[in-house]
Amino acid sequence: MSRLLRAPAVLICLLAAPVVAAAQSTITGIVKDTSGAVLPGVTVEASSDALIEKVRTAVTDSNGQYRIVELRPGQYNVSFTLPGFATFVRSALNLPAEFTATIDAEMRVGGLEETITVTGESPIVDVQSAKRQQTLDSDTLQAIPTSRGYAGLAVLIPGMVQSGGGAANVQLSPGMLVFGGRGGRGNEGRAQVDGLNTGASLNGGGVSGYRQDVENAQEIAITTSGSLGESEVGGPVINVVPRTGGNTFAAHYFFTGLSGGMQASNYTDELRDAGLRTPAKTNYMYDTSFALGGPIIRDKLWFYGLAYYRASSNDIPGMFYNANAGDPTKWTYARDESRPAVNEGKGPIQPNLRLTYQMTSRDKLNLFWDEQISNNSLGAGSATASPETSGLNHGWQRVQQVKWTSTTTNRLLLEAGLGTYLSNWNGRERPDNNRDLIPVTEQCSTAATCPQFGGIANLNYRGQSWSADWIGAHTWNAAATYVTGAHSLKVGYQGAYHEDNRAPFGNNHNLSYRFNGGVPNQLTQTLLPYRTYSRVRYHALYAQDQWTRGKLTLAGALRYDHPWSTYPEQQIGPTQFLPTPIVFPESKGVIGYNDLTPRIGVAYDVFGNGKTAVKFNMGRYLEAAVNGNGNYSALLPASRIDVSEPRSWTDVNGNYRADCNLLSGAAQDLSASGGDICGAWANQNFGKNVYSLSYDEKILKGWGVRPADWQIGLTLQQEILPRVSVEAGYTRRWLQNFTVTDNLALNPEDFDEFSIVAPLDPRLPGGGGYTINGLYNVKPEKFINATNDLRTYAPNYGTISQVYNGVDINISARLTNGLTLRAGSSTGQRVTDYCEVRSALPEQAGGFSTGSEVPAFGPTNPYCEFAPGITTRYTGAGSYTIPKIDVLVSGTFQSTPGEPLAANYTVSNTNTVSTLGRPLAAAGGTVTVNLLAPTDATFDRVNQLDFRVGKILRFGSHRANVSLDLYNALNFDTVLGYNQNFVPGGNWLVPTSVLTARTAKITVQYDF
């Protein structure tokens, strides 16, 4: 019967794909007799209520070594038996997730019926793994004040960086945070459940809008570096180890909430004088859940289920409803100060269920289903978008997982997993949207000049654009692990299929306007609506081995990756600017990368007592193979032809209608006949089946050409007191295989170099008046050329380097008196240099390929050497239960350095003619120049202290905790966002968002 059950499971194993490793742990050690001689043949059993199979077994080898792998975190008893010797038991061993606990045993001669039980401190230094990691158990997770989402935990990683730089503001409520590790790609971080990815099928593929159940997690395992063959990318991983039920029923109720009166104000006179119109305000928020787990069949089938409900309402700072919204005769924004913009959403109930089935004595199956549905609320805009431009929050997301494990023998383990993340996402069309209304972007940012716009730079209003999108991430895995006392050999396969379907929509005119002070100066033509389809696949094979000999543990891995991307048949048009549709047959994107990436790890138990470890790790890691990342979606037809083209526009007759022949890309002056003046298309291929972007095939296929990075780490970890350890580590990362875009229609000699003088303004360094050199402008005769971009490798034009060096320090303490503390710092700097490439390709514009904090490069960005200076980020979390009175005190702290500020100045011919010797060749006759070098000025450091005090109540076997949480307890008013568009004497550095004011929440947790 067992063979029949295992046969289909093995088939699943061969056909299935995961992501990174599950949060399984290991118990290992050496068994000796009282004389110090090693004992082979000892039976070692690890038993725990965390195991549905109850017991896992190993036998010591000829060197007396044993190893039991793939254990769930929990409390274990480890017994050692050998005929002629008394049974030895190590009891109450706390085994964290993704940890190797070294438990040695000394057996004395005696009968098996004799038992020697020893209880000792659980190891806190992993002396056999070079991976840098830490764990948060359920007690800590439920004790500290966080938002109960992965983002709230990510910000507590000292070496975490937010994509694009800056500081996150996510502790009040769960939210999505795209993150990475210092020195790496900003989107390389991953959030997982039970070792399977829950990320989207785009933009790094590591995170999504999915809300993991952190409140009821058994543990959270956080890995920051040093992963072996199971990892595709080198960024941090947050793995939620879920509860699986058990042989007894247990329930957990959770509620946290606040009303508007529980939020203080940090809207200071200083912020008011700086121009912040109104602060953000939370009107109400509550989040409640009920979880229940237990046996359906004891020792056979367990369940763990959850249902939660949440609601919130918050004001959008400085934004009001538009009194002119929906009126086709009105072209300006008129804020209705009696109606501040409010984002509000409620429910619905969100259920999930996990089943654990012990199929046979050796085979186990885990099933999980989580359905999360949007609340159908209407968006209310943002700090720069009027409410009528926002969509309907109508969508859903679903996570499904199946995982099979088989302890075939004491030495051979098989496993396979399949996970999906599906989402119908992005805002939909508002029920009240009028498709005849053309949206407007207002440039005016000076309240004194255009008070009707409130001084909001680049305010969007009047019409809506939306996109009906769907994504599907399907990942699967299979692995076999062979274990002896000294070795742990693992071979595995991973695979993925990522889908990304987009359907952007706009207005009936396929136009958008740009005004300055209510006066039109530019229009943009589009080819909406259309649909795009992008698909990414990958296969990966890896082999890794860990070998322990005495104090030394060596680990090595070799991983092979082969990703590719395709685009199903798709069509653009017909629309008014593309009467004849363009049909694109199925095509390829990335033809196929092939990479062999080595990783090694060394761990040395310095004194042989398990308290001091020196660790070294080195490895090459890859850019994630997923849609919208790197080159995988870059050859999508809609990305390669011009589907949106701006042109200058003077509304001579003042009727807000572009009275030009918009089917023609030529410059037109029809004012003499009652029409308007329209500039030429910068790209004359707009609406044509002509690819403006082509790719060098060498960057789409081959060995070792995929964007990657190398990591080196050296770590010292020391147990300084029982249950207290300190870790200090050095990290170096450098990125490889940069790509650039060369417009073949232009050469360096087609550009003229010029400089500008910064305006006089006391807010600028030295009061302004300094010269900014190294700016480029294309010659007028080349400005209206058709774009002919080639994407190719940077070394063809020069060197691009991006190197990070840093030191991290962490302390971890879990004392017997109830004190738990984790604190750390990350100090370092990443230096980027692409000056050689900029000289060769002055026309290149766009974001940096690593998705980092580096500003977009372009002809008027001269700061090609980006060295913002050495910075340090601090984080901490701790809790303490005061004995006898059962009062819980806990808190978290984070201190994040500020990112470089910008002063984006719109430069016209008046500013440039003296050095350029001619008018600017640019759309609208202007270009934008950042007046600040990266080291000139930064945002303020963001400090946040969150605090909790609670009373623990006990009612027999029931336990409740009623707490008062204070977020931003010190009520800092640190600015998180500024208007960085510079106007002399204008609204530059007007705050657009600040740290959420001190907020009190009531939290209730009840276990029974």
Side-chain angles (χ1 to χ4, degrees):
M1 179 64 178
S2 62
R3 291 183 180 179
L4 291 175
L5 288 171
R6 283 201 300 272
V10 173
L11 180 59
I12 294 173
C13 176
L14 295 175
L15 295 178
V19 199
V20 184
Q24 305 300 323
S25 301
T26 297
I27 299 176
T28 186
I30 299 176
V31 184
K32 300 179 181 180
D33 64 17
T34 54
S35 71
V38 298
L39 292 176
V42 177
T43 299
V44 185
E45 293 184 340
S47 60
S48 173
D49 290 339
L51 301 175
I52 193 172
E53 66 268 41
K54 290 303 193 183
V55 176
R56 292 282 305 282
T57 304
V59 177
T60 59
D61 63 12
S62 59
N63 296 312
Q65 291 181 283
Y66 74 93
R67 187 179 299 270
I68 306 174
V69 300
E70 304 296 325
L71 295 171
R72 288 191 61 80
Q75 188 174 88
Y76 283 79
N77 291 329
V78 186
S79 65
F80 303 81
T81 59
L82 182 68
F85 290 82
T87 299
F88 181 88
V89 176
R90 172 66 184 271
S91 65
L93 169 67
N94 290 314
L95 184 65
E98 297 189 18
F99 187 86
T100 300
T102 301
I103 304 298
D104 297 330
E106 183 180 88
M107 302 181 69
R108 67 175 178 81
V109 175
L112 286 176
E113 67 279 1
E114 298 181 59
T115 300
I116 301 173
T117 301
V118 176
T119 301
E121 296 290 351
S122 299
I124 61 171
V125 176
D126 188 340
V127 296
Q128 293 196 10
S129 173
K131 184 163 58 174
R132 297 193 66 185
Q133 59 191 19
Q134 57 181 298
T135 59
L136 300 173
D137 62 20
S138 59
D139 291 340
T140 302
L141 290 169
Q142 293 183 2
I144 60 177
T146 68
S147 60
R148 297 304 188 263
Y150 80 87
L153 300 175
V155 297
L156 298 179
I157 303 172
M160 184 279 300
V161 294
Q162 180 175 324
S163 179
N169 190 19
V170 297
Q171 283 294 44
L172 197 58
S173 63
M176 186 177 76
L177 176 69
V178 180
F179 68 101
R182 295 194 73 173
R185 293 172 174 81
N187 62 358
E188 65 183 3
R190 297 199 166 186
Q192 302 177 339
V193 172
D194 204 20
L196 290 167
N197 202 26
T198 57
S201 61
L202 49 86
N203 187 23
V207 301
S208 65
Y210 173 68
R211 176 182 174 178
Q212 295 88 351
D213 179 21
V214 170
E215 170 68 18
N216 294 285
Q218 182 173 342
E219 285 194 350
I220 302 291
I222 301 172
T223 302
T224 54
S225 66
S227 296
L228 291 174
E230 296 161 308
S231 296
E232 177 192 18
V233 300
V237 177
I238 299 175
N239 186 21
V240 178
V241 183
R243 295 184 186 272
T244 58
N247 279 329
T248 58
F249 289 99
H252 180 76
Y253 172 74
F254 170 76
F255 169 85
T256 186
L258 65 101
S259 63
M262 298 172 69
Q263 187 169 72
S265 173
N266 58 359
Y267 187 40
T268 62
D269 290 340
E270 184 180 359
L271 287 173
R272 185 180 294 106
D273 294 342
L276 182 66
R277 293 170 297 280
T278 59
K281 185 178 185 300
T282 303
N283 302 310
Y284 65 81
M285 176 185 298
Y286 55 89
D287 189 342
T288 185
S289 66
F290 177 76
L292 176 65
I296 298 174
I297 304 174
R298 288 181 61 86
D299 297 328
K300 192 73 174 178
L301 181 61
W302 294 350
F303 78 95
Y304 197 87
L306 170 77
Y308 72 84
Y309 181 89
R310 55 181 169 171
S312 65
S313 170
N314 60 279
D315 293 347
I316 298 172
M319 184 53 61
F320 297 86
Y321 280 85
N322 181 6
N324 292 335
D327 187 343
T329 67
K330 300 291 176 42
W331 289 90
T332 58
Y333 168 81
R335 60 179 182 174
D336 183 350
E337 297 195 5
S338 67
R339 298 181 65 206
V342 178
N343 261 330
E344 187 171 32
K346 296 182 179 180
I349 295 175
Q350 314 277 15
N352 69 48
L353 178 65
R354 180 175 296 275
L355 298 175
T356 302
Y357 176 39
Q358 190 69 32
M359 302 162 60
T360 71
S361 60
R362 297 178 177 178
D363 299 283
K364 181 168 61 178
L365 189 67
N366 283 285
L367 302 171
F368 178 65
W369 188 294
D370 194 350
E371 197 83 12
Q372 299 185 358
I373 305 169
S374 299
N375 53 32
N376 290 321
S377 60
L378 277 177
S382 69
T384 58
S386 185
E388 72 270 17
T389 65
S390 294
L392 173 68
N393 185 17
H394 176 71
W396 53 265
Q397 49 190 349
R398 178 184 302 147
V399 169
Q400 304 156 299
Q401 293 181 349
V402 57
K403 193 172 183 179
W404 167 78
T405 57
S406 177
T407 309
T408 305
T409 70
N410 290 338
R411 294 191 172 187
L412 179 62
L413 292 91
L414 302 177
E415 59 183 306
L418 171 66
T420 66
Y421 171 77
L422 312 175
S423 179
N424 191 32
W425 72 292
N426 236 334
R428 299 304 197 259
E429 184 176 17
R430 300 173 64 91
D432 59 352
N433 182 52
N434 182 347
R435 295 193 183 188
D436 283 328
L437 296 179
I438 298 173
V440 175
T441 298
E442 173 57 55
Q443 285 184 298
C444 182
S445 62
T446 305
T449 305
C450 43
Q452 70 271 35
F453 301 113
I456 305 174
N458 298 314
L459 170 69
N460 299 309
Y461 65 95
R462 199 170 185 270
Q464 184 194 358
S465 298
W466 70 100
S467 191
D469 300 336
W470 185 89
I471 52 177
H474 314 266
T475 57
W476 56 94
N477 70 359
T481 304
Y482 184 76
V483 181
T484 65
H487 282 273
S488 178
L489 173 66
K490 187 171 187 178
V491 294
Y493 159 76
Q494 298 177 359
Y497 177 56
H498 294 303
E499 301 174 276
D500 182 12
N501 299 341
R502 307 285 184 97
F505 291 85
N507 58 82
N508 291 335
H509 306 278
N510 261 334
L511 292 172
S512 62
Y513 291 168
R514 190 184 74 183
F515 292 177
N516 193 333
V519 178
N521 62 16
Q522 180 178 284
L523 64 85
T524 299
Q525 301 173 237
T526 65
L527 302 180
L528 300 175
Y530 55 82
R531 295 179 182 271
T532 66
Y533 308 94
S534 181
R535 307 287 184 261
V536 175
R537 292 282 308 274
Y538 80 75
H539 298 305
L541 299 170
Y542 65 90
Q544 62 187 46
D545 189 23
Q546 179 176 305
W547 177 70
T548 300
R549 186 67 174 177
K551 300 178 184 179
L552 180 67
T553 299
L554 301 176
L558 187 64
R559 178 183 172 100
Y560 168 74
D561 282 84
H562 177 68
W564 70 99
S565 61
T566 59
Y567 317 117
E569 179 182 294
Q570 42 207 282
Q571 175 177 319
I572 297 178
T575 73
Q576 57 267 61
F577 302 128
L578 183 64
T580 303
I582 304 173
V583 178
F584 303 95
E586 182 176 358
S587 58
K588 293 182 179 181
V590 169
I591 300 169
Y593 293 132
N594 295 287
D595 283 275
L596 284 174
T597 51
R599 292 92 185 261
I600 63 171
V602 180
Y604 186 66
D605 185 357
V606 178
F607 303 109
N609 59 5
K611 296 184 178 182
T612 306
V614 175
K615 307 177 182 183
F616 172 80
N617 67 274
M618 182 174 69
R620 185 174 185 264
Y621 299 88
L622 301 169
E623 179 185 64
V626 69
N627 294 291
N629 208 39
N631 295 323
Y632 296 99
S633 298
L635 275 74
L636 194 68
S639 300
R640 300 177 67 190
I641 71 168
D642 190 3
V643 297
S644 177
E645 184 62 28
R647 64 196 308 172
S648 60
W649 169 41
T650 302
D651 186 22
V652 177
N653 54 27
N655 63 358
Y656 297 101
R657 187 174 62 241
D659 294 315
C660 298
N661 177 12
L662 298 183
L663 289 174
S664 169
Q668 303 164 52
D669 184 351
L670 305 181
S671 56
S673 58
D676 293 340
I677 301 173
C678 294
W681 294 335
N683 186 353
Q684 291 295 310
N685 285 329
F686 172 67
K688 298 179 181 178
N689 189 6
V690 176
Y691 285 157
S692 300
L693 175 64
S694 59
Y695 270 69
D696 182 349
E697 195 172 275
K698 293 179 181 178
I699 71 171
L700 301 175
K701 67 176 183 179
W703 287 88
V705 298
R706 179 177 170 184
D709 71 278
W710 278 91
Q711 298 183 24
I712 292 178
L714 180 64
T715 304
L716 172 65
Q717 188 175 9
Q718 172 70 51
E719 180 181 332
I720 57 175
L721 292 171
R723 298 191 173 202
V724 180
S725 69
V726 174
E727 177 187 76
Y730 164 76
T731 300
R732 180 177 175 87
R733 296 186 72 175
W734 64 97
L735 280 71
Q736 295 182 314
N737 297 338
F738 293 96
T739 57
V740 295
T741 301
D742 179 7
N743 185 353
L744 300 178
L746 298 172
N747 295 308
E749 54 268 23
D750 294 326
F751 288 80
D752 293 322
E753 187 172 350
F754 69 101
S755 61
I756 66 166
V757 176
L760 295 175
D761 191 302
R763 299 169 298 176
L764 292 174
Y770 50 88
T771 301
I772 299 174
N773 298 305
L775 309 176
Y776 294 101
N777 185 245
V778 67
K779 293 180 177 179
E781 63 270 21
K782 294 289 186 176
F783 173 65
I784 310 180
N785 278 14
T787 302
N788 183 18
D789 285 338
L790 172 68
R791 194 75 173 165
T792 185
Y793 276 119
N796 297 332
Y797 303 87
T799 300
I800 295 179
S801 67
Q802 197 166 55
V803 181
Y804 171 80
N805 289 279
V807 174
D808 289 4
I809 298 175
N810 292 287
I811 183 170
S812 175
R814 187 176 181 85
L815 304 182
T816 55
N817 64 359
L819 173 65
T820 298
L821 174 67
R822 295 182 183 276
S825 66
S826 179
T827 300
Q829 176 183 220
R830 173 161 65 181
V831 177
T832 301
D833 188 337
Y834 58 94
C835 293
E836 288 184 5
V837 169
R838 184 173 186 267
S839 296
L841 298 174
E843 75 274 16
Q844 187 174 212
F848 210 73
S849 61
T850 52
S852 67
E853 77 286 356
V854 179
F857 45 75
T860 56
N861 174 23
Y863 312 115
C864 53
E865 184 176 2
F866 188 85
I870 297 174
T871 59
T872 301
R873 187 170 187 272
Y874 305 94
T875 66
S879 67
Y880 178 63
T881 301
I882 302 174
K884 297 183 180 180
I885 62 174
D886 271 350
V887 172
L888 170 70
V889 179
S890 67
T892 66
F893 175 73
Q894 49 182 305
S895 178
T896 304
E899 295 291 332
L901 276 168
N904 298 316
Y905 179 47
T906 300
V907 176
S908 65
N909 293 319
T910 304
N911 310 97
T912 63
V913 68
S914 61
T915 59
L916 187 59
R918 59 171 174 80
L920 285 166
T926 63
V927 296
T928 300
V929 177
N930 181 6
L931 303 178
L932 297 180
T935 56
D936 282 344
T938 65
F939 283 76
D940 291 335
R941 175 175 284 271
V942 180
N943 298 313
Q944 180 173 342
L945 173 66
D946 302 327
F947 179 77
R948 166 180 289 186
V949 59
K951 173 62 177 170
I952 299 173
L953 306 172
R954 304 180 192 275
F955 311 98
S957 61
H958 295 198
R959 182 181 186 273
N961 183 12
V962 180
S963 303
L964 174 67
D965 299 342
L966 289 179
Y967 294 90
N968 189 16
L970 302 180
N971 204 30
F972 288 126
D973 61 352
T974 313
V975 176
L976 301 181
Y978 287 102
N979 171 21
Q980 298 190 71
N981 296 301
F982 180 84
V983 175
N987 285 1
W988 180 53
L989 297 187
V990 167
T992 57
S993 65
V994 299
L995 192 65
T996 300
R998 178 172 55 233
T999 303
K1001 291 174 71 176
I1002 300 297
T1003 298
V1004 178
Q1005 297 157 310
Y1006 182 40
D1007 294 285
F1008 58 98

